Amino acid sequence: MRNKASFLVATTMLFGLLAGCAGSDAQSPAETPSAGSGTETNTNTDAGKSEPSAPAEKVTVEFWHALGGGNGDFLNAMIQRFNESQDEVEVVGTFQGNYDETVTKLQQAVSAGTAPEIGMVERAYVQLFADSGVLEDLTPYLESSGMSENDFSAGMMGHSKFDGQLLSLPLNRSTPIMHVNKSMLDEKGLAVPTTWEELKTVANALVVKENGEITRYGVTMPYDTWYPLAMITQAKGTFFNEDNTSIGFYDNGVGKKVFSFLKDLQSTGALYYPPAQDSGSIANQMFVEGKVGMLYQSTGAIGGLQSTVTFDYVTAFLPGDEVHANPTGGANVVMMGDGKNKEAAWKFLHWVMTDPAGAQQFIIDTGYLPFTKKMTESQQMQDLWAKEPNRKVAYDQLEYAIDTNKDVAWPEVMHEFFSAIEAIMYDNQDIQATLDTFKKEADRILAQ
């Protein structure tokens, strides 16, 4: 078990390694809700009359999060709804930057003994905190509130439990799905692909070349580890092996299979792989402009695409290979072990998880995935899915959610995986030689 000093050193070294979906929600500073007034009570004066006393002070709970921009506004609105719903606890939400910046600040606060009660942690970083013993076990809090792990969607709990302790709960969670220009496919008499082979056929059929230049591609995906991770699990591989001493997609040939498939698509124009810088925005814009027919992207893109496109737009499961499989993304909430007001913090978290004005409304506002059975079955969610069926696809795909990148060393190994992706997809380096190098680096990191 790491101590807090080594915890700070280790995590500071990893600062900035998370990329792509990890920080996509942090756009701009979010406003902090203003403090509410306390309740008034009566005391007896010497004359026997009742006079109002000074307002009772609420217990303050600090919540550090990583949501800026519009999603930050929706989070602040949720916090404000809680503060106005009762007069005992005042939650102060503070935007701390994107996911990796927030993690670094949380580590520093832990080391300094100034940690907030609640933190938002990108789900792949939870194990780093768990391994260091700085998180509060939420099991007794759930039990005291009449809740259990069974209240949550199984596909969202992959980064919640460590060594028998429940150390985080889902909040702003997403998953990659396929976004489809159905009008484009219909023009060619093509069906939405459900397998890699069908994807290859459809993507190649959509390619348009004019004067030797490709003017329309079949499929695109942002520069990110998310999508190769999905394909590795679809080919029945895992990112790490069973005992987390090496990668799990090398000896079985899965890694070579995945990247060979992508390079084959890229070579014909069936796949457009965008530049690393601002790749998500580039891929989205190409899809909106009809320059590509299919897009691998987060469920979080549905709202923006749906309000922008001028064609028949649908979402679909990621095409499968040996099996259907997909990773999850986004962040969980944790209670810091050194927090001063844990009972008050749980009062807020319990409200978030169970009250329709809590996370349920936040999810309806933002497009993140509902993560409890109660939310999923609510009339509000059912009505939303009936009106916007594209959103339900992402939830249904959770049946095939598999997270195989669970290890305290994931962020550092991920950095090397990005280097491998760049070498193969941008620099046309030999796939097997690149994977050989990546495996050596991953093994070295995991052995530390």
Side-chain angles (χ1 to χ4, degrees), residues 120-137:
M120 177 183 286
V121 179
E122 202 277 340
R123 93 268 180 260
Y125 266 139
V126 174
Q127 188 164 359
L128 191 62
F129 285 83
D131 186 64
S132 304
V134 299
L135 300 180
E136 185 81 359
D137 183 6

Side-chain angles (χ1 to χ4, degrees), residues 180-200:
V180 182
N181 182 333
K182 193 170 183 300
S183 298
M184 192 181 293
L185 270 63
D186 288 346
E187 288 172 5
K188 292 277 190 177
L190 300 167
V192 175
T194 60
T195 67
W196 286 13
E197 283 306 307
E198 291 175 3
L199 175 66
K200 185 176 183 179

